[in-house]
């Protein structure tokens, strides 16, 4: 369906939760190292991902360059950030799109955002919060993409 890309995730429980969501939506999960924890098979990741983790299409990459070598940059790559005014629900998502989410403590690197400013998306907040939990953010964007393409998946 879609591709969820986590760049240098820091919290194993978030990775597990996002993995569970990816399984539920038939999305591929791409994990870009280095992680802020040990190996991906840590108990905390498996606990949040439950028994779904073993059926999930999950791929690991040593760095973003290795990922982009396999999936070159295009207009189908979307970068979640608080540094844009382009709201996610105004984009037209298609099957196979890539949704990037950055580190819980720092977001995505500025260099990613400048590579594809048209693909930067934000989730609006009506209060002065810095950001949302990454698992919540992935859910919001992924379910909007599903909503837009639901007829294709019935």
């Amino acid at each position: 369906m879609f591709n969820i890309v986590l760049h240098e995730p820091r919290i194993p429980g978030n990775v597990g939760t996002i993995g569970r969501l990816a399984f539920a939506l038939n999305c591929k999960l791409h994990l870009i190292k280095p992680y802020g924890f040990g190996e991906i098979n840590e108990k905390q990741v498996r606990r949040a991902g439950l028994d779904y983790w073993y059926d999930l299409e999950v791929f690991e990459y040593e760095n973003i360059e290795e990922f982009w070598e396999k999936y070159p940059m295009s207009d189908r790559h979307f970068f979640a950030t608080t540094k844009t005014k382009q709201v996610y629900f105004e984009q037209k998502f298609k099957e196979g799109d890539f949704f990037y989410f950055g580190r819980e403590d720092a977001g995505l690197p500025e260099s990613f955002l400048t590579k594809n400013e048209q693909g930067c998306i934000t989730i609006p907040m009506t209060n002065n919060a810095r950001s949302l939990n990454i698992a919540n953010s992935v859910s919001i964007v992924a379910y909007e993409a599903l909503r837009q393409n639901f007829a294709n998946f019935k």
Side-chain angles (χ1 to χ4, degrees):
M1 186 176 287
F2 304 105
N3 294 278
I4 297 167
V5 181
L6 301 184
H7 182 259
E8 300 182 3
R10 294 293 182 245
I11 301 172
N14 283 338
V15 174
T17 299
I18 293 165
R20 188 174 175 182
L21 170 77
F23 175 79
L25 292 180
N26 197 29
C27 293
K28 293 178 183 174
L29 179 60
H30 304 273
L31 303 173
I32 313 299
K33 294 179 182 180
Y35 307 140
F37 49 90
E39 291 303 312
I40 202 64
N41 59 5
E42 273 194 22
K43 180 179 169 184
Q44 293 167 311
V45 174
R46 289 193 321 266
R47 184 177 354 157
L50 296 176
D51 54 341
Y52 303 111
W53 190 259
Y54 300 103
D55 295 319
L56 172 66
E57 284 191 80
V58 60
F59 306 93
E60 296 181 82
Y61 306 87
E62 291 302 314
N63 52 52
I64 194 65
E65 290 77 21
E66 180 184 344
F67 176 77
W68 281 335
E69 192 173 299
K70 186 168 183 176
Y71 301 101
M73 188 65 64
S74 74
D75 65 348
R76 304 317 314 164
H77 292 238
F78 296 92
F79 300 86
T81 178
T82 58
K83 298 176 176 122
T84 186
K85 296 198 183 296
Q86 299 177 112
V87 293
Y88 73 98
F89 51 77
E90 291 179 348
Q91 292 290 335
K92 301 295 182 226
F93 299 123
K94 297 178 183 177
E95 184 176 359
D97 282 352
F98 292 85
F99 305 123
Y100 291 70
F101 298 86
R103 291 171 40 163
E104 291 91 337
D105 62 344
L108 290 168
E110 193 73 34
S111 61
F112 289 21
L113 307 179
T114 57
K115 279 185 190 282
N116 188 357
E117 290 180 13
Q118 300 296 342
C120 291
I121 55 174
T122 194
I123 299 168
M125 294 176 273
T126 59
N127 222 338
N128 291 326
R130 267 190 331 273
S131 63
L132 298 173
N133 172 276
I134 188 172
N136 291 337
S137 297
V138 172
S139 297
I140 290 167
V141 173
Y143 271 97
E144 173 60 17
L146 173 65
R147 185 195 68 76
Q148 290 181 16
N149 292 275
F150 191 68
N152 299 337
F153 302 105
K154 286 184 181 180

